Amino acid sequence: MAITRKEEERALSSDEQELVARTHHPQVQEESDSDLRDLIRLVRDRRNKARDAAHQRRREMRGKGAPRGATPSAADAGSKTKLAVLAMALRRANAEAERRRKMAARVEMTENAQRALEMKQAAGGPAAPNSRHAHQGMRQAASQRRENLMRPMERGRQRKAAAVAQARRDAR
């Protein structure tokens, strides 16, 4: 379920709101690579802190952990929402970092292929004389499969006879 920006504002403090706002679509693409790495680290730290607080609150509610305040927590809806908002922000930032990584890899692969083509063209020598793709095209390679001496019609006749015999046995 999507969380609206109004719910995000309600669940987060002002500095956390700023971090989460930087992970939304137009702003996250404007971040530099180093700023994006820092943003991911900060959001991950806040997410972990919120996760630990939510875990502590659930323990308090079950009566397993000592209360942090004067009385144990009665509900953890706010901490769950905060954790969900920060987790989604981290997911968005990680997705942007992964998108950038894939784009850089694609560009690098294209450059490498271009460089390999240039090197191949610069070499310019004839292909190896024993290659199967030189000059007149590929030579036919001898098949490794043994030749089947049985006519396909005979094979079909025997298969059908076996099926009929099996059907007779099954009908008994």
Side-chain angles (χ1 to χ4, degrees):
M1 186 176 98
I3 297 176
T4 63
R5 293 204 184 206
K6 188 176 277 190
E7 290 172 334
E8 284 181 4
E9 291 172 5
R10 194 176 312 125
L12 302 174
S13 64
S14 60
D15 56 335
E16 290 169 340
Q17 286 176 12
E18 178 193 332
L19 286 176
V20 170
R22 287 173 54 192
T23 65
H24 284 291
H25 171 57
Q27 291 90 353
V28 74
Q29 289 185 338
E30 295 168 0
E31 298 281 337
S32 68
D33 288 343
S34 61
D35 288 344
L36 184 62
R37 275 194 303 273
D38 293 341
L39 178 65
I40 289 172
R41 184 181 50 78
L42 289 172
V43 173
R44 183 175 290 124
D45 290 343
R46 295 296 173 101
R47 192 253 346 238
N48 291 345
K49 187 176 175 183
R51 182 190 60 205
D52 295 345
H55 180 69
Q56 174 66 26
R57 282 193 151 183
R58 283 193 298 272
R59 285 180 55 82
E60 286 177 20
M61 288 169 45
R62 291 193 316 257
K64 294 206 171 228
R68 289 242 176 181
T71 60
S73 297
D76 70 335
S79 58
K80 274 186 180 178
T81 306
K82 183 176 189 171
L83 178 60
V85 168
L86 290 170
M88 286 193 305
L90 183 62
R91 198 173 306 132
R92 284 191 300 270
N94 282 335
E96 175 65 18
E98 181 65 14
R99 185 190 69 81
R100 290 181 186 189
R101 186 194 65 75
K102 284 182 179 177
M103 188 169 55
R106 196 175 311 125
V107 167
E108 183 182 3
M109 188 183 311
T110 304
E111 290 170 354
N112 288 343
Q114 288 291 334
R115 192 167 45 250
L117 179 62
E118 290 167 3
M119 289 169 60
K120 184 176 180 180
Q121 289 173 344
N130 199 17
S131 70
R132 292 179 54 218
H133 51 78
H135 310 299
Q136 303 298 324
M138 293 179 68
R139 292 191 305 274
Q140 183 176 1
S143 175
Q144 299 297 320
R145 293 169 48 182
R146 63 182 176 82
E147 187 179 344
N148 193 351
L149 300 176
M150 181 179 270
R151 296 188 332 265
M153 190 168 39
E154 179 68 16
R155 189 175 29 213
R157 187 189 68 76
Q158 289 180 354
R159 183 178 295 147
K160 186 64 176 178
V164 168
Q166 183 65 47
R168 280 189 187 139
R169 282 194 297 274
D170 292 345
R172 280 191 241 160

